[in-house]
Amino acid sequence: DESLHEILGIDKKYRSLGIIGARTGAGPHAISADEAVKASNTEVIIFETSNDTKGGGGHGNLIVFGAEEVSDARRAVEITLNSLSWAFGGVVGNEAGFLEVQYTARASHVLAKYFGAELGKAWGLINGCPASVGMLMADAAVKAADVKIVKHCSPGHNTCFTSEFTIFVTGDSGAVKQAVLAGKETAIKLLRTMGGEPEAMAKPYF
Amino acid sequence: DESLHEILGIDKKYRSLGIIGARTGAGPHAISADEAVKASNTEVIIFETSNDTKGGGGHGNLIVFGAEEVSDARRAVEITLNSLSWAFGGVVGNEAGFLEVQYTARASHVLAKYFGAELGKAWGLINGCPASVGMLMADAAVKAADVKIVKHCSPGHNTCFTSEFTIFVTGDSGAVKQAVLAGKETAIKLLRTMGGEPEAMAKPYF
Amino acid sequence: DESLHEILGIDKKYRSLGIIGARTGAGPHAISADEAVKASNTEVIIFETSNDTKGGGGHGNLIVFGAEEVSDARRAVEITLNSLSWAFGGVVGNEAGFLEVQYTARASHVLAKYFGAELGKAWGLINGCPASVGMLMADAAVKAADVKIVKHCSPGHNTCFTSEFTIFVTGDSGAVKQAVLAGKETAIKLLRTMGGEPEAMAKPYF
């Protein structure tokens, strides 16, 4: 609707909007939406995050895809929702907290626009809650492989005041994967000392 | 106390303060406090919101009424608390999220000062959680009737990083009510597809 | 690691970092970390707070100690964790909310840097959730003794949008203790009217 376009400052060429919102899982949604723009004629024009109000310690999100055709907007939403089934495999947690790792060999526009990626290059997300877990993951990750930190988040910086510490890294595809997996290994050991056996929310995809 | 007046920058003419705080329900509190200032010799001098830490996805609040007489401050608090019993009728939810709609034919100073209303004119609140629900409510509302959006809130704008999307609308009294009810209908359909039958927190008042 | 030092802007003289993070209890962590810097050759170089995502209504935290020797960093972490066992005695709550009071006769660098204390002087924290409880605690505290409010927090100021109202006070050691205890007494009465008998999270230490 024109009014909604106006108040949100959305270009009128995007006659169709694809809208996704969730109270948890901003990381899985980010990489899923990135897959969606790779495979559809759309752009993400809004990606906002919220403090996870379901008790999980992370972020929720609101994602708006802009498209000229309604079929494109619909396709972007479908791809995003389907991709979540593997992307949640990057989240592993127990009652004390969680880790999240995401990895792509070829980042697209969503990760570039909102999460520090370089278009077409490898990108990784290394995140832990509470923030101390994330900080120790980050330390292990940058020691394990030659990667560049392109953005970081902490309770007071670039988060919605969540109890998380996150780094986004780029570099050679093998190095990014190695860094991400080193972070994950560190977090699993830490979470084990803080609570029960950490469980993945879906089958890990890498 | 003088110290509290000073640190909060409260005019000393307000010798009595009426204080209300809640961890949930900022919308019902807003319209209830508006009723209170209509019917008492008080002003709302602080209306701050917080991220609902009880898991509900919305906002808590802190409301301070300023009055010259203690009986006025007390009366404002009483009217607010009594009004909550109907105002929570505007909130309908299930385990996946909620909608909130509020409506008044004649907004007073609280809604004008903090929520975009025009004094003495009709005003409506159209809100949904997760934010995708609220955005689709807003779209349905502005298509259903000739109303003006005077303010909007999203996870990254004008909220405490909650997973909500909200519009406040003004216009002709009948149009505002029609817009609000169209938003509500849309949200109920959406919430049904996401979880169990949505339930109102009190009897709907319009 | 050098990368982590760089992105966080940490002086390289701090070759060792002691890292603590929690999703709840920023107040107990603050006074515990203050004890740690008193008794170890460290500084707190990061103290960030987060919105408590476990439903408690308060703040989580990320604390980083900087040290030149690894044994110092380790000692600071140990003292902090040990101190938490008494510091949580300052938190008393029920299902409706909570109060927190903290007191020290001699504040050190953490309280001075982040919480308005004067080095070596008495300092008190008076906090309540929901914010209305904290505001009434503050009023009772400043009426009970001659103390100076050095900082205050409310849902919209100096908090992570939590439903809290807090004051930090300084003054004569006896006056600070008296003010803090007056605030506590007020909150316990209020919480009793709102829910079950409030319970302390550990044995009160003063």
Side-chain angles (χ1 to χ4, degrees), chain A residues 55 139 143 154 156-157 161 163, chain C residues 1 7 21 23 48 50-51 53:
Chain A
D139 187 50
K143 280 173 174 157
S154 66
H157 297 284
F161 294 136
S163 291
Chain C
D1 187 84
I7 62 161
R23 295 175 60 189
E48 292 183 5
S50 57
N51 192 302
T53 46

Side-chain angles (χ1 to χ4, degrees), chain A residues 51 55-57 95-97 129-132 135-136 138-139 142-143 149 152 154-157 161-163 165 167, chain C residues 1 3-4 7-8 17 19-24 46 48-55 60-62 64 159-161:
Chain A
N51 193 303
E95 73 283 10
C129 165
S132 46
M135 196 173 261
L136 292 163
D139 187 50
V142 297
K143 280 173 174 157
I149 300 175
H152 80 281
S154 66
H157 297 284
F161 294 136
T162 63
S163 291
F165 189 88
I167 56 172
Chain C
D1 187 84
S3 294
L4 215 51
I7 62 161
L8 298 173
L17 303 180
I19 301 172
I20 288 181
R23 295 175 60 189
T24 65
I46 293 177
E48 292 183 5
T49 53
S50 57
N51 192 302
D52 172 356
T53 46
K54 288 196 148 182
N61 54 90
L62 172 66
V64 179
T159 66
C160 298
F161 294 136

Side-chain angles (χ1 to χ4, degrees), chain A residues 76-156:
Chain A
V77 169
E78 281 169 2
I79 294 171
T80 304
L81 297 179
N82 287 339
S83 300
L84 287 174
S85 63
W86 55 260
F88 266 105
V91 184
V92 182
N94 62 15
E95 73 283 10
F98 65 84
L99 73 91
E100 179 174 355
V101 287
Q102 302 290 352
Y103 163 77
T104 179
R106 195 169 61 85
S108 191
H109 296 277
V110 178
L111 299 178
K113 187 169 175 186
Y114 300 101
F115 300 97
E118 289 175 57
L119 265 183
K121 299 288 176 61
W123 171 93
L125 173 161
I126 296 159
N127 168 254
C129 165
S132 46
V133 170
M135 196 173 261
L136 292 163
M137 289 173 72
D139 187 50
V142 297
K143 280 173 174 157
D146 182 24
V147 291
K148 186 180 153 201
I149 300 175
V150 287
K151 188 173 178 181
H152 80 281
C153 310
S154 66

Side-chain angles (χ1 to χ4, degrees), chain B residues 140-148 172 174-180 182:
Chain B
V142 297
K143 280 172 174 159
D146 181 25
V147 292
K148 185 180 153 201
D172 171 76
V176 168
K177 194 185 274 193
Q178 200 178 332
V180 163

